[in-house]
Amino acid sequence: MAVSLVDIQRDILLDTVRRTGRDDWKVLVLDETSKKLIDNVVKEDDILNENVTNIEMIEQRRPMNQDTDAVYILSPQPHVVDCLMADFERRRYKKTFLIWTALLDPRMRRRLDTTPSAREQIAGFRVLSVDYFPRESHLVTFRDPWSFPILYHPACNGMVKDHLQALAQKIVSVCVSLGEYPVIRYYRPRNPGHEASVLCSHLARFAQDDLDEYAQYHPDFPPQVNRPRGALFITDRSMDLMSPLVHEFTYQAMAHDLLPIRENEKVLYKTVINEGEPNEEIKDMEIGERDRIWVENRHRHMKDTIEKLMGDFQKFIDDNPHFSNRQVCTNGNATSLNAIKDMLAGLPQFQELKEAYSLHLSMAQECMNIFQHRKLPDLASVEQSLATGLDEDYRKPKNLADQVVRLLDDESVNSADRLRVIILYLLYRDGLLPADTQKLLAHAQLPPQDNEVIANLDLLGARVAKSLKDKREPPLPLFSKKQRPVGNVEEYALSRYDPAVKSMLEEHMTGMLDQAVFPFTKPQLDAPANGVMGADNVSQASLRSAKPTWAKSRLASVEPRQRIIVFVAGGATYAEARACYEVSRSTSRDVVLVTSHMMTPGLFLRQVGDLGVDPRRLDLPADRPKPKAPAHLFEPEPKPRPPPAAPTTSMAPPPMRAGSGPAPTIAALHSMSLDPRAGANGGPPGSPSVPPPPGPSAQSSKRDKEREKEEKEKKKKHHFFGKKKEK
């Protein structure tokens, strides 16, 4: 793959830190949101190597550092601007370079421009447009699972416009990072029957306006390259309701569907490391771009993945003849997953490789155990017929209702899989009689709340219920049905279904994508009359510079690759991510999938079910308390403690204690006597006594005398035992 969004965003961030403030030492200041964005692609050591003395968080307590410049990389949020203004009031740093991850709201920008302390300290101001999270080289998410209920929940209509504008700005950020000013096309259903059918058209218009505005204020955008002009497709989850429901048997999709993989800022899977050894432990292993085994195998069919893992491990044994293990000597080679796991126990010198293989062998083994235990081969065979409308021989399927009922009777099929197959059957039939739906749910012994999941599919454009007298023809398929492939494909009969995204991309490449279903945001002057338009028609090259077709075919391997961006509103599936990689490889183009969040079948069913609940129960970000700047930023800076005073040799008398009499005169000091027979005031006997100043009680004086006596005794003992014997 020629392009990687992970590398592109990393280079943008490091280059910005490097060029800001020249070669002087500087402090980097982040907020919680911008730190997550940076940590996703950049290591802390790489930042510190760019003349950065320290990385500080704007919300936390920080020391004053008025001799050093500060580079702020901040997210444009109101409470972050409040924190920034507090720094300006204190003049915390020498000079300030402001870098925003996205466009700042005009009101917040005006606040900075009109504050004298801010104007005096700001030495640079820049918007970086990096407000997105690259997850893979060709996969970008916004980490926003709440996008789905905002877009499709009926009670969230008031939030949709602002949310679409925020999504448009993030999409433009991806385009800017790629250096693309693409032609925009969007999905428009043929027979829209749901309120959310206009989402794509509005989002495409917002994205077009933001792109045009960016180009207007940045004359150097897009950069001058000889790459064909890119394309941006705006779609949403309603375009393909089959993909989140069908069981996938490629490694990545299957693992996320069947295994308890946790997704947050990192993708983690809990597994046993050093199994059977004294140092055995349960460890959270990260699955990501740094894992070479994962990257090489994630889009392979599970059968091919297991063969590749076993082959790679056998090659490792062959390349390391000094490696000796009882299992290797006995078996001679790695013939099963369990045999390989036993061999791994004897690899203490290859700990990192050992942990990586242990992770993926455990995941593959667990996937295959579930595959057999839950009878997924039988289930997937029916699913493929329902999703494609064709059986294994690529003919119209027969007796699908009987096959569905048999699956619902099978105790090995769990509740979630039963609900998935019922929904697939409903989509295949373009709706069912309400009584038939209830019979299927009862037959499957599913709880009543699952009926809510089915009913809510109507909000995504699915036809859920129809009457007995309804004679309406089923809608035409969005894309033509798949033809029987050439060659022996029996091994992959359970993977016949292709996501709609893949069909859309393939028709775009061949120039057969219908403009009635995928119109342009701007009219194309050279659009053909038949409503279809090929990829070559959207090239930035003029007719004068365009190469003839025979030259294009010869130079296709060396010319810069066209970049195609696909945005799926409401969440994308791992099958759709795989499809984008496959099209990239087969067409010599770079296809990048962008979405709000990645969606597993379990998450899809849960989010569809939530479309019928009170939105206050969904914990939407808009309903949470707005974050505020910490109070300590507005407290007075604590004064530094003075250094301890040096001892003085002044002859001044000590200060009098409260209640003491006047200090004695010099003459009185001379007249004082140590004779116990002297008067009370130190004078001769018989002289008038001066009353003593109020002091401690008699009991306290007695206690002090006893303490002095004990110390004298200790000194005597010390001198006694420490004295040398005289000769």
Side-chain angles (χ1 to χ4, degrees), residues 61-62 64 90 92 632 635-641:
R61 296 182 184 273
R62 290 161 286 143
M64 299 290 289
R90 296 189 179 196
R92 188 178 294 277
H632 65 79
E635 296 172 356
E637 195 73 22
K639 295 182 179 180
R641 293 181 178 179

Side-chain angles (χ1 to χ4, degrees), residues 369-381:
N369 292 341
I370 297 174
F371 180 78
Q372 298 295 338
H373 178 70
R374 287 164 47 177
K375 291 190 176 180
L376 294 187
D378 298 338
L379 183 65
S381 178

Side-chain angles (χ1 to χ4, degrees), residues 207-261:
Q208 185 70 70
D209 292 343
D210 288 348
L211 262 174
D212 293 343
E213 184 178 5
Y214 186 89
Q216 178 183 355
Y217 288 100
H218 297 80
D220 57 342
F221 177 80
Q224 295 299 316
V225 292
N226 60 346
R227 181 175 61 240
R229 187 177 184 183
L232 169 62
F233 288 91
I234 303 291
T235 69
D236 78 307
R237 187 67 272 153
S238 68
M239 187 177 83
D240 186 357
L241 296 178
M242 296 287 190
S243 186
L245 298 169
V246 174
H247 280 87
E248 268 274 328
F249 299 119
T250 50
Y251 183 28
Q252 183 183 43
M254 189 176 185
H256 279 275
D257 184 6
L258 303 181
L259 302 182
I261 295 176

Side-chain angles (χ1 to χ4, degrees), residues 59 125 217 234 289 294 300 302 324-325 328 390 479 485 488 524 564 575 587 592 651:
E59 298 95 345
F125 190 101
Y217 288 100
I234 303 291
E289 288 294 283
W294 172 254
R300 297 183 194 271
M302 181 58 77
S324 61
N325 182 273
V328 179
L390 301 170
F479 303 101
N488 182 17
Q524 300 298 306
I564 301 172
T587 62
V592 177
M651 296 303 294

Side-chain angles (χ1 to χ4, degrees), residues 7 48 138 172 210 242 287 513 535 537 541 550 579 585 588 611 630 663 688 699:
D7 294 339
L48 295 176
H138 288 58
V172 170
D210 288 348
M242 296 287 190
I287 306 171
L513 191 61
N537 295 87
W550 58 266
R585 284 191 293 267
S588 297
L611 295 180
Q699 188 176 357

